[in-house]
Protein backbone atom coordinates (compact mmCIF):
# COMPACT_ATOMS: atom_id res chain seq x y z
CA UNK A 1 0.00 0.00 0.00
CA UNK A 2 1.27 3.44 -0.92
CA UNK A 3 -0.48 6.35 0.78
CA UNK A 4 -4.22 6.01 0.21
CA UNK A 5 -3.95 3.68 -2.77
CA UNK A 6 -2.32 0.39 -3.71
CA UNK A 7 -1.81 -1.96 -6.66
CA UNK A 8 -3.40 -5.39 -6.42
CA UNK A 9 -2.39 -8.33 -8.60
CA UNK A 10 -4.83 -9.29 -11.36
CA UNK A 11 -2.91 -11.69 -13.61
CA UNK A 12 0.32 -12.53 -15.39
CA UNK A 13 0.24 -12.01 -19.15
CA UNK A 14 2.28 -13.30 -22.06
CA UNK A 15 2.41 -9.90 -23.77
CA UNK A 16 1.00 -6.40 -23.84
CA UNK A 17 -1.28 -5.61 -26.74
CA UNK A 18 -2.60 -2.45 -28.36
CA UNK A 19 -5.70 -2.59 -26.17
CA UNK A 20 -3.39 -2.16 -23.16
CA UNK A 21 -2.70 1.45 -24.17
CA UNK A 22 -5.74 2.27 -22.02
CA UNK A 23 -3.73 1.05 -19.00
CA UNK A 24 -0.84 2.74 -17.20
CA UNK A 25 2.19 0.85 -18.61
CA UNK A 26 5.47 0.72 -16.66
CA UNK A 27 8.69 -0.95 -17.83
CA UNK A 28 11.58 -1.81 -15.48
CA UNK A 29 15.05 -1.85 -17.08
CA UNK A 30 18.55 -2.27 -15.69
CA UNK A 31 21.51 -4.58 -15.18
CA UNK A 32 21.17 -8.14 -13.96
CA UNK A 33 20.94 -8.27 -10.17
CA UNK A 34 19.96 -4.63 -9.67
CA UNK A 35 16.66 -5.54 -7.99
CA UNK A 36 14.09 -4.86 -10.73
CA UNK A 37 11.95 -7.89 -9.89
CA UNK A 38 12.15 -7.24 -6.15
CA UNK A 39 10.94 -3.65 -6.65
CA UNK A 40 8.03 -4.94 -8.75
CA UNK A 41 7.09 -7.36 -5.98
CA UNK A 42 7.17 -4.44 -3.52
CA UNK A 43 4.93 -2.42 -5.82
CA UNK A 44 2.32 -5.19 -5.64
CA UNK A 45 3.13 -6.06 -2.00
CA UNK A 46 3.23 -9.70 -3.14
CA UNK A 47 5.50 -12.12 -4.97
CA UNK A 48 4.15 -11.67 -8.51
CA UNK A 49 7.42 -12.15 -10.42
CA UNK A 50 10.34 -14.44 -9.72
CA UNK A 51 13.11 -12.65 -7.82
CA UNK A 52 16.19 -13.71 -5.90
CA UNK A 53 19.76 -12.94 -4.99
CA UNK A 54 21.97 -14.97 -7.30
CA UNK A 55 25.14 -14.63 -9.34
CA UNK A 56 23.05 -15.79 -12.31
CA UNK A 57 20.09 -13.97 -13.85
CA UNK A 58 16.79 -14.85 -12.22
CA UNK A 59 14.55 -13.25 -14.88
CA UNK A 60 15.04 -15.46 -17.94
CA UNK A 61 12.22 -13.99 -20.02
CA UNK A 62 10.24 -10.78 -20.05
CA UNK A 63 7.36 -10.96 -17.57
CA UNK A 64 4.12 -8.97 -17.81
CA UNK A 65 2.04 -8.42 -14.71
CA UNK A 66 -1.34 -6.74 -14.69
CA UNK A 67 -2.74 -5.02 -11.64
CA UNK A 68 -5.56 -2.80 -10.49
CA UNK A 69 -4.82 0.50 -8.83
CA UNK A 70 -7.15 1.09 -5.87
CA UNK A 71 -7.68 4.81 -5.53
CA UNK A 72 -9.03 6.81 -2.67
CA UNK A 73 -11.39 9.15 -4.52
CA UNK A 74 -9.90 12.37 -3.13
CA UNK A 75 -6.32 11.40 -4.15
CA UNK A 76 -6.99 10.31 -7.74
CA UNK A 77 -4.39 11.81 -10.15
CA UNK A 78 -5.15 9.61 -13.15
CA UNK A 79 -8.43 8.15 -14.35
CA UNK A 80 -6.91 4.80 -15.29
CA UNK A 81 -7.03 1.98 -12.78
CA UNK A 82 -5.42 -0.82 -14.82
CA UNK A 83 -1.62 -1.06 -14.51
CA UNK A 84 0.71 -3.22 -16.60
CA UNK A 85 4.22 -3.77 -15.27
CA UNK A 86 6.95 -5.17 -17.52
CA UNK A 87 9.89 -6.94 -15.86
CA UNK A 88 12.76 -7.28 -18.33
CA UNK A 89 15.84 -9.45 -18.63
CA UNK A 90 18.81 -7.67 -17.08
CA UNK A 91 21.48 -5.94 -19.13
CA UNK A 92 24.82 -7.74 -18.93
CA UNK A 93 22.91 -10.99 -18.44
CA UNK A 94 24.92 -13.98 -17.28
CA UNK A 95 23.89 -16.13 -20.26
CA UNK A 96 22.78 -13.77 -23.03
CA UNK A 97 24.82 -11.14 -24.84
CA UNK A 98 23.92 -7.47 -24.48
CA UNK A 99 22.64 -7.50 -28.07
CA UNK A 100 20.44 -10.55 -27.39
CA UNK A 101 18.92 -8.93 -24.29
CA UNK A 102 18.18 -5.66 -26.09
CA UNK A 103 16.74 -7.52 -29.07
CA UNK A 104 14.47 -9.59 -26.78
CA UNK A 105 13.20 -6.45 -25.04
CA UNK A 106 12.63 -4.59 -28.30
CA UNK A 107 10.79 -7.44 -30.00
CA UNK A 108 8.66 -8.12 -26.94
CA UNK A 109 7.80 -4.50 -26.16
CA UNK A 110 6.96 -2.88 -29.46
CA UNK A 111 6.81 0.84 -28.74
CA UNK A 112 4.96 1.41 -31.98
CA UNK A 113 2.06 -0.62 -30.57
CA UNK A 114 2.32 -0.09 -26.83
CA UNK A 115 2.56 3.29 -25.14
CA UNK A 116 4.95 3.23 -22.18
CA UNK A 117 3.89 5.69 -19.47
CA UNK A 118 6.85 5.23 -17.14
CA UNK A 119 10.36 3.87 -17.67
CA UNK A 120 12.06 2.80 -14.44
CA UNK A 121 15.82 2.28 -14.80
CA UNK A 122 17.25 0.43 -11.81
CA UNK A 123 20.98 0.25 -11.03
CA UNK A 124 23.04 -0.87 -8.06
CA UNK A 125 26.73 -1.06 -7.22
CA UNK A 126 29.31 0.20 -9.65
CA UNK A 127 27.87 1.10 -13.01
CA UNK A 128 30.35 -0.35 -15.49
CA UNK A 129 30.82 0.93 -19.09
CA UNK A 130 28.87 -1.97 -20.72
CA UNK A 131 25.90 -1.16 -18.45
CA UNK A 132 26.13 2.53 -19.36
CA UNK A 133 26.10 1.66 -23.07
CA UNK A 134 23.11 -0.67 -22.66
CA UNK A 135 21.16 1.93 -20.66
CA UNK A 136 21.93 4.66 -23.21
CA UNK A 137 20.72 2.43 -26.06
CA UNK A 138 17.45 1.71 -24.26
CA UNK A 139 16.99 5.40 -23.41
CA UNK A 140 17.46 6.31 -27.07
CA UNK A 141 15.05 3.58 -28.21
CA UNK A 142 12.43 4.82 -25.72
CA UNK A 143 12.93 8.46 -26.81
CA UNK A 144 14.38 9.83 -23.58
CA UNK A 145 15.08 13.26 -25.09
CA UNK A 146 11.42 13.66 -26.03
CA UNK A 147 9.87 12.05 -22.91
CA UNK A 148 12.27 12.85 -20.04
CA UNK A 149 9.35 13.24 -17.65
CA UNK A 150 8.46 9.54 -18.20
CA UNK A 151 11.83 8.29 -16.89
CA UNK A 152 12.71 7.42 -13.29
CA UNK A 153 16.20 6.37 -12.19
CA UNK A 154 16.63 4.28 -9.04
CA UNK A 155 20.00 3.58 -7.46
CA UNK A 156 19.07 0.47 -5.48
CA UNK A 157 20.76 -1.55 -2.71
CA UNK A 158 22.69 1.47 -1.47
CA UNK A 159 21.87 1.42 2.26
CA UNK A 160 25.47 0.88 3.29
CA UNK A 161 27.06 3.05 0.61
CA UNK A 162 28.33 6.54 1.50
CA UNK A 163 27.04 9.59 -0.40
CA UNK A 164 30.51 10.01 -1.86
CA UNK A 165 30.53 6.41 -3.17
CA UNK A 166 26.99 6.84 -4.60
CA UNK A 167 28.04 9.97 -6.50
CA UNK A 168 31.16 8.18 -7.76
CA UNK A 169 29.16 5.13 -8.93
CA UNK A 170 26.62 7.26 -10.75
Amino acid sequence: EVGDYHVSFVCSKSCIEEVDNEAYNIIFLGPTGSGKSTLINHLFNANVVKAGASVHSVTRQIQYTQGKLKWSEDKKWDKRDQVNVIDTIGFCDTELSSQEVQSAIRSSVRTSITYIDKVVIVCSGRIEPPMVQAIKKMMKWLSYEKYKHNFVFIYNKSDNVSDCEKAENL
Side-chain angles (χ1 to χ4, degrees):
E1 189 170 312
V2 181
D4 292 331
Y5 52 90
H6 64 278
V7 179
S8 59
F9 175 76
V10 172
C11 65
S12 294
K13 299 177 70 166
S14 59
C15 66
I16 290 190
E17 301 163 357
E18 195 168 355
V19 69
D20 290 311
N21 282 335
E22 300 299 317
Y24 194 83
N25 296 312
I26 307 168
I27 187 169
F28 280 73
L29 299 166
T32 295
S34 61
K36 297 177 299 296
S37 301
T38 299
L39 287 172
I40 291 168
N41 287 335
H42 286 302
L43 178 67
F44 283 92
N45 200 28
N47 291 325
V48 298
V49 294
K50 190 175 177 183
S54 171
V55 294
H56 298 287
S57 301
V58 174
T59 304
R60 301 300 319 140
Q61 59 189 11
I62 296 169
Q63 301 174 77
Y64 301 89
T65 306
Q66 191 171 79
K68 262 303 194 227
L69 190 52
K70 306 290 186 190
W71 294 99
S72 90
E73 285 305 312
D74 60 327
K75 304 286 185 190
K76 199 165 188 172
W77 53 267
D78 193 306
K79 59 184 169 224
R80 297 172 288 183
D81 62 357
Q82 181 180 321
V83 177
N84 293 311
V85 178
I86 307 164
D87 186 13
T88 61
I89 303 165
F91 308 146
C92 307
D93 183 83
T94 52
E95 295 179 24
L96 301 174
S97 73
S98 179
Q99 189 64 26
E100 288 172 316
V101 169
Q102 290 177 28
S103 179
I105 293 169
R106 287 181 184 193
S107 65
S108 183
V109 182
R110 295 185 199 109
T111 56
S112 60
I113 295 174
T114 306
Y115 181 77
I116 303 295
D117 294 283
K118 195 61 69 180
V119 178
V120 181
I121 298 177
V122 183
C123 294
S124 66
R126 183 174 299 281
I127 303 170
E128 300 292 339
M131 294 176 197
V132 172
Q133 286 178 320
I135 290 168
K136 283 181 176 180
K137 283 181 183 177
M138 286 288 125
M139 289 172 64
K140 183 177 180 181
W141 172 62
L142 293 166
S143 304
Y144 173 76
E145 287 302 321
K146 187 174 179 183
Y147 300 108
K148 288 180 182 179
H149 61 281
N150 288 358
F151 284 72
V152 175
F153 297 86
I154 297 175
Y155 188 65
N156 200 18
K157 302 179 184 181
S158 63
D159 296 349
N160 297 320
V161 179
S162 72
D163 289 342
C164 182
E165 287 176 298
K166 289 177 192 176
E168 194 176 299
N169 289 338
L170 290 173

